[in-house]
Structure formats: C-alpha cells, structure tokens
Amino acid sequence: MALYVVPYEHGFLVYRPLKRLAFVANAAMINLIERLRSGAPAGDGASHAAAFLESVGFFDPDPDVDRDGAQARTVAVLCLTTACNLRCTYCYAAAGDAPARTLPLSAGRAAIDEACRNAVAAGAPSFTLAFHGGGEPTMARREMRSLVAYARRRALPCHVTAATNGCWPDADRAWLLDNLDSVSLSCDGAAEVQNAQRPAAGGGASFDAVMKTIRGLDAREKAYGIRLTVTDATVDALPGSVDLLCRESGCASFQVEPAHAAPSASSKPNRGSDTCSEKKNQ
Ligand code: SF4
C-alpha cells in the first residue's frame, strides 16, 4: 500500500496517491490505521472512525497502475545519479552523504524503449524522457548524453526534460540548453536565501550559477518553471524572492514548496515534495 502520513497543522495529512484518497486526521486516527493494518481490532470507541475508513475503501489494495493505460507509461522517468554539487539544508536524499550511485545505461535504455513502445501503441505523436532528482542529473554527464542520443534515435520524437538545481558547469551549459526541451529548475529566490538553503557542496554560494542558467534558458526561450522551497526561517523573504525572480527571469511558472519538520530522528526538516522527488513520511 502506498501511504503517506505527513504532519499538517495540528494533525496529519493521510495520502494514498494510487487510490487518489487524502484526508486530514488526528493522532488517534493514525494510531487506528496502524492498528487495523497490523490486523488488530479497532478497539473500544473507534468504531465510528473505523467505519469511515471502511466507507472510503481505505484498506483496499492499490489499483494496478498498469490499468491506467499505455498513455500513463509514455514517460520514462530516470533518476540518473545520487551525486550532487549542492548540499541543500533540507535535502531528503542526503546527497553526498554516501558514495554516488549512477543508473546503469541498460536500465535507462530499457525504460526509454518501453515509453516509446507504449507511445507507438497508444498512437501518441511523441514520448517523454524525464531526468529526475535524488541527486543532480546533470552530474551524470556521460549517462545523460548517451541516453538523450539513444532516445532521439527511437521511432517517435522524444521530449527531453529535467529537474535540476541549475548549477551547471560552463562546459556543459551549451549542450544542456541545446538538448533539454524543458526544465524544472530549483531556485529558492533571493541570493541570501538561495545561498543559505542551497549551498554548493564545497560550501560556496550557488545563486550566481543558477541565475546564469536562468539567463541561458531565457535567451533560448526555453519552457521552464522555477520551484522554490520555503522554510520557517525564510518564509518572510518569499515575497521578495518571487519579486526578484519575476524581475530577473522570463519564467512564467513558479511553484512554492514548504519544507516541514517531520517527527523523525533527523534534525533536518523534511519536505512533502522536493525538487528531486517525493518524501515518504510514515
Ligand atoms: S535537494 Fe536536490 S539539489 Fe539539493 S542537495 Fe538534495 S539532491 Fe542536490
């Protein structure tokens, strides 16, 4: 069962994405869910809450995602590497804390083949190759170039997109701008916010590098969106950050994502969703 329990205001957000089910719950409801999942009885005084869970089919198995149809599988989403050139304070992936791992090319090619095959079967005009995070995909330079070239040689046109921190080496910038059709870029806004929350791996600033990428995207008139992460410490700076990005970029789409403290042993705040991926808080 794909289940997310995320702290929310004075309670929790319970989310079963494959069931398309979400509701706000208190701690007693979370305990009840855990009890029922383990096979224990609901217990005294919980029959009303248990009846609610029953009525929404909460314990039904996840639907078979394959039944969603070929269209849903025309996107090959690849997490290329766990390596990252930033050390964001809220990174759920703990990038850099362990030796980097990189996706084998054979696995990437297999995913691309399947997405293309499904697109052909569905009569779609194209398929998509999406480089995702959990690391910075542009760090896997060799793999990214190889897989983009492979995808471009398939039977249908391929739309190539990437979620990136935008801190691209100058040597790769032109290639990335030439080969990425769209970009989801993480930038937390004003220089002091970006540099504090998203420092370089060596401890330096990252703002200037990201702005250079933004200017490159604008110059090429690329489709891109900017994702800003907000923490308690920086929420007051958010209006100024959005103002700055509106002035300094041609970006038409901003997505603000809150980072929240989770009841875990980690001292870092965890994110409900991140530049790089989704976080399970269970
Ligand atoms: S949040 Fe993304 S960009 Fe930031 S350190 Fe983690 S993997 Fe790197």
Side-chain angles (χ1 to χ4, degrees):
M1 174 193 292
L3 169 64
Y4 297 75
V5 178
V6 181
Y8 177 70
E9 296 187 341
H10 301 299
F12 300 89
L13 184 66
V14 179
Y15 180 36
R16 284 202 57 197
L18 297 180
K19 280 281 292 175
R20 302 187 176 185
L21 180 65
F23 55 86
V24 174
N26 60 16
M29 177 62 97
I30 304 303
N31 290 336
L32 174 64
I33 289 171
E34 287 307 316
R35 242 184 359 262
L36 294 175
R37 285 186 78 187
S38 71
D44 292 342
S47 58
H48 188 68
F52 163 75
L53 294 172
E54 177 71 29
S55 71
V56 298
F58 186 81
F59 292 106
D60 291 352
D62 283 332
D64 179 356
V65 290
D66 284 343
R67 278 192 241 127
D68 285 350
Q71 182 63 32
R73 288 170 281 123
T74 60
V75 182
V77 181
L78 305 182
C79 297
L80 274 191
T81 180
T82 60
C84 190
N85 49 355
L86 296 189
R87 292 293 182 272
C88 303
T89 56
Y90 42 68
C91 178
Y92 77 94
D97 288 357
R101 286 173 296 132
T102 303
L103 185 78
L105 284 175
S106 58
R109 290 188 195 119
I112 290 167
D113 284 343
E114 181 174 350
C116 184
R117 220 172 21 244
N118 289 337
V120 169
S126 64
F127 70 104
T128 297
L129 171 59
F131 295 110
H132 203 38
E136 168 55 28
T138 61
M139 298 279 288
R141 185 175 192 271
R142 184 183 73 91
E143 287 77 7
M144 181 179 265
R145 290 180 183 224
S146 172
L147 291 169
V148 169
Y150 184 79
R152 300 275 192 222
R153 292 196 300 270
R154 298 306 95 197
L156 287 179
C158 180
H159 179 93
V160 181
T161 184
T164 174
N165 63 30
C167 294
W168 297 348
D170 285 338
D172 291 337
R173 190 173 307 279
W175 184 89
L176 290 165
L177 289 170
D178 283 345
N179 285 278
L180 295 179
D181 299 309
S182 64
V183 167
S184 175
L185 180 80
S186 285
C187 174
D188 287 353
E192 59 274 19
V193 178
Q194 168 75 17
N195 292 336
Q197 293 192 159
R198 302 180 66 81
S206 60
F207 179 78
D208 289 347
V210 179
M211 290 309 296
K212 199 167 181 181
T213 294
I214 286 175
R215 285 193 288 276
L217 293 167
D218 286 334
R220 300 287 191 97
E221 298 184 346
K222 288 281 176 179
Y224 72 103
I226 294 179
R227 301 164 64 147
L228 303 91
T229 296
V230 185
T231 65
D232 284 347
T234 59
V235 67
D236 290 341
L238 179 60
S241 288
V242 173
D243 184 56
L244 174 109
L245 291 172
C246 286
R247 279 188 283 109
E248 299 290 330
S249 81
C251 184
S253 170
F254 297 96
Q255 181 174 329
V256 178
E257 299 179 343
H260 58 81
S264 70
S266 169
S267 59
K268 289 180 179 178
N270 290 325
R271 307 169 61 161
S273 64
D274 177 75
T275 301
C276 307
S277 184
E278 280 69 43
K279 169 79 176 85
K280 267 189 182 176
N281 284 330
Q282 295 190 60

